[in-house]
Amino acid sequence: MLPTSSRQIHQNGSLNARDAARHTAGAKRYKYLRRLLHFRQMDFEFAMWQMLYLFTSPQKVFRNFQYRKQTKDQWARDDPAFLVLLSVWLCVSTVGFGLVLEMGFVETLKLLLWVVFIDCIGVGLLISTLMWFVTNKYLLKHPSRDYDVEWGYAFDVHLNAFYPLLVILHFLQLFFINHVVVISSDWFLGYFVGNTLWLIAIAYYIYITFLGYSALPFLKNTVVLLYPFALLGLLYVLSISLGWNFTKGLCWFYKHRVQ
C-alpha cells in the first residue's frame, strides 16, 4: 500500500500557507539543489534500478513518477541521485571516447567540458524547455493553473530518454570503433552496424519521451510524440542506401571541436 500524504488541508480543500510554500517551484528547486551536497541522502540503489528498467521496462519508471505525485504532490524527482549517476556515466564514457580517438589529456578534458556543459546540460535545458512549452501550450486537455507540466518533470523525461542513448552511443559503440567492426571506416558492414546503433538509441529516446508525457493524465494526443519514428526510419534507410556513416561524422566532430 502506498503511504498517504501528511499535508494539512483547510476545510475548503486548499493547502495552508506553510504547506503551500513547501510546494512552490522555488521551494522544490531549492530542496533538490540542496540534496546535491548531501550524498548520504541520495538513494543511489533506487536510481540504478531506474537505469536498468529504462532499458527493460521503462513503463515501470514512469509508474513510480505517478506514485511520487500521490505521495509528495510533485511529478519531478526530488532526489538528484539519478542525475549524479548519469553524470558519472557521461564522464567515464567521454574519457573512453578520448582514449579510443587517441586524444591527449588536454584534448580529452576539453571534450569532457564540451559534452557535459553543451551536449548534456545546454541541449538538455533547450529540449526540456521546448517540450515544457509545447505540452502546456498544445497538449493540455483543460488548460488551467491546476494542471500543467512541471518544467522539472520535462527535464526528468529528457534525462530518462537520454540515458539509454548515452549508453548505446557513448559506451557500447566504443567497442566497435576500432575493434570487431571498424565503424569509422567506409565499409558497408561498418556504417550498417554504426547507423543501426544510432537508430536504436534515437528510437529509445523518442519512445521514452512518449512514455513520459503519456503518463500524465491531463495531457491529450501524446501519440504525436511518436511521429518522429517515421522520419527516423526514412533517414536510416537513406543513410544505408547512400553510405552515410554517422559515427564517422561524430568522431570527426569530436576531434575538431577540441582543436
Side-chain angles (χ1 to χ4, degrees), residues 78-211:
D78 60 346
D79 185 351
F82 186 92
L83 178 62
V84 172
L85 291 181
L86 180 66
S87 301
V88 172
W89 266 101
L90 189 63
C91 292
V92 172
S93 61
T94 302
V95 171
F97 247 105
L99 294 175
V100 169
L101 298 180
E102 299 179 347
M103 294 182 179
F105 175 78
V106 175
E107 291 177 328
T108 302
L109 181 60
K110 288 181 180 179
L111 178 63
L112 179 61
L113 295 176
W114 266 99
V115 170
V116 171
F117 291 102
I118 303 299
D119 297 347
C120 182
I121 298 178
V123 175
L125 293 176
L126 180 63
I127 293 177
S128 302
T129 302
L130 177 63
M131 293 301 298
W132 169 77
F133 173 79
V134 170
T135 51
N136 282 314
K137 182 72 173 179
Y138 301 106
L139 299 184
L140 288 178
K141 292 180 180 178
H142 306 288
S144 69
R145 292 184 177 180
D146 297 328
Y147 297 99
D148 65 343
V149 178
E150 302 170 6
W151 186 91
Y153 181 78
F155 187 64
D156 279 336
V157 171
H158 167 72
L159 292 182
N160 288 346
F162 179 72
Y163 173 69
L165 183 146
L166 171 68
V167 172
I168 294 172
L169 296 183
H170 245 238
F171 180 70
L172 294 180
Q173 191 168 226
L174 291 177
F175 298 97
F176 294 93
I177 291 180
N178 290 325
H179 303 282
V180 184
V181 177
V182 184
I183 291 180
S184 58
S185 72
D186 291 324
W187 297 348
F188 170 79
L189 187 58
Y191 62 74
F192 172 76
V193 173
N195 291 1
T196 300
L197 289 176
W198 278 83
L199 172 70
I200 296 172
I202 298 175
Y204 257 114
Y205 187 92
I206 295 173
Y207 180 60
I208 292 177
T209 299
F210 161 74
L211 289 179

